[in-house]
Amino acid sequence: MRYLLIDHITEYKPGELIKGIKNVAMSEDFLEFHFPKNPIMPGVMLLEALTQLTGWLEAASTDFKNWFLISNVGKSAFYGFAFPGDQVELEVEFVSEGDQNKKVYRGTGFVKGKKKISAEFEGEIILLEDIEDVEEQKKFFKVLTRELR
Amino acid sequence: MRFLYYDKIDNIEKGKSITGVKTFTLSEEFFRKHFKKQALVPGIIYIEAMAQLLGWLIIYSHNFKLSAVMSLVEDVTVPPELRPGFRAEIHGEIISTSRRDSLGKAWITVDGETVASMNRIIYSHVHKVNSEDLSALFYYYSGIRVNHGA
């Protein structure tokens, strides 16, 4: 499995918000186990999609200096289910500065106008260069935003 | 990748509590992308580990007649910067359970120290289940020997 939970970034405003898409495919490995004979996108994978989207917002807002690692979830609610074939429209917005180099974000995920997840979460802001090749990340961001097309 | 975030169940007490183990190894698929220069366990994996284990306690407590799906989590803390190579003990407790839903809490310790906690998790119950299949999965996943007398 490629642990990449965002397929497309459709819009972003530095320091404010970001929107992206996660397509749920029957070929996802986790659907074999979640659940046996009853494939449902795991709620935490939607939360991971929101977390990764937040990472991209941090990167795009700081010329790829920062990334985001989740450390707390104030509250996350999961409504209904996302199924194979669904397209989840995700959105994350900045809420506030947290304690010590942390930030609070709020995110949602919708399938055809129906809410599937809402979450308020906090995370550490870390240096992207400590965990990834910055130039590669810049290029991949262009793949996600389709600026390379 | 097998979407299973516990390796075995050590203790289970119907309607009350469960303890299990998850070892975090560098061979996990998600480390290929999380991240290139440092292997860090994604924070949400701890949430899934706690949710899966406590979910089994609920299913077991209702004699495999229903399944439990996470519908809300609150007041969760996870460690953002742990690298693999550790053994996590996962603890879960049922606070209340009915036919319709369950409320519980869970936490994870490593070498006796609490590294993650989830103070509130609500599960919705699903009643369309095959009890025999669920029971067989439970005994396979948990490592607990089938005890027909229990």
Side-chain angles (χ1 to χ4, degrees), chain B residues 115-126:
Chain B
V115 298
S117 60
M118 180 153 66
N119 285 332
R120 199 171 146 85
I121 175 166
I122 295 175
Y123 295 82
S124 299
H125 295 168
V126 177

Side-chain angles (χ1 to χ4, degrees), chain A:
Chain A
M1 182 191 80
R2 278 154 59 91
Y3 198 68
L4 299 170
L5 278 299
I6 294 296
D7 295 326
H8 184 188
I9 291 171
T10 52
E11 186 186 335
Y12 66 97
K13 286 183 192 160
E16 285 181 42
L17 67 87
I18 186 164
K19 295 181 183 182
I21 283 168
K22 164 65 187 159
N23 291 304
V24 185
M26 191 63 95
S27 62
E28 314 263 16
D29 279 331
F30 48 71
L31 294 180
E32 185 186 348
F33 289 85
H34 197 279
F35 294 92
K37 299 174 193 167
N38 186 16
I40 292 165
M41 173 93 180
V44 299
M45 294 311 257
L46 290 177
L47 190 55
E48 175 65 18
L50 292 174
T51 304
Q52 292 187 7
L53 203 53
T54 309
W56 286 117
L57 178 58
E58 277 296 328
S61 305
T62 58
D63 193 25
F64 291 80
K65 184 173 151 273
N66 291 348
W67 192 256
F68 176 86
L69 295 179
I70 193 167
S71 64
N72 298 85
V73 182
K75 181 175 179 174
S76 183
F78 308 93
Y79 311 88
F81 301 117
F83 298 105
D86 282 350
Q87 184 169 70
V88 190
E89 292 174 20
L90 300 153
E91 185 173 337
V92 169
E93 60 175 8
F94 172 72
V95 174
S96 63
E97 300 284 338
D99 298 338
Q100 308 162 346
N101 210 28
K102 284 187 173 183
K103 283 187 186 176
V104 180
Y105 283 92
R106 188 184 298 128
T108 53
F110 286 83
V111 175
K112 287 183 180 166
K114 284 193 176 168
K115 198 192 274 185
K116 298 297 173 181
I117 182 173
S118 70
E120 187 161 309
F121 50 96
E122 188 176 23
E124 288 181 358
I125 306 303
I126 61 160
L127 290 176
L128 181 61
E129 66 175 11
D130 285 350
I131 58 164
E132 290 284 356
D133 181 312
V134 172
E135 290 308 311
E136 276 181 24
Q137 287 294 97
K138 280 184 184 174
K139 279 182 192 157
F140 194 60
F141 184 71
K142 286 182 178 174
V143 171
L144 289 173
T145 55
R146 307 203 174 157
E147 283 166 51
L148 289 182
R149 295 278 165 105

Side-chain angles (χ1 to χ4, degrees), chain B residues 62-122:
Chain B
H62 288 272
N63 299 312
F64 305 103
K65 291 195 172 72
L66 53 79
S67 190
V69 181
M70 173 178 77
S71 59
L72 183 128
V73 297
E74 263 183 316
D75 196 6
V76 183
T77 302
V78 294
E81 296 191 56
L82 283 188
R83 78 171 305 285
F86 61 92
R87 179 181 187 276
E89 272 191 28
I90 311 163
H91 308 262
E93 285 178 7
I94 290 177
I95 295 168
S96 67
T97 185
S98 69
R99 193 176 177 280
R100 221 171 58 117
D101 51 24
S102 294
L103 169 67
K105 64 173 184 174
W107 65 100
I108 296 177
T109 58
V110 175
D111 297 329
E113 190 185 329
T114 302
V115 298
S117 60
M118 180 153 66
N119 285 332
R120 199 171 146 85
I121 175 166
I122 295 175

Side-chain angles (χ1 to χ4, degrees), chain B residues 45-64:
Chain B
I45 297 294
Y46 304 103
I47 300 177
E48 184 64 16
M50 292 187 276
Q52 288 189 359
L53 205 75
L54 191 51
W56 275 122
L57 173 61
I58 292 161
I59 294 165
Y60 179 80
S61 298
H62 288 272
N63 299 312
F64 305 103

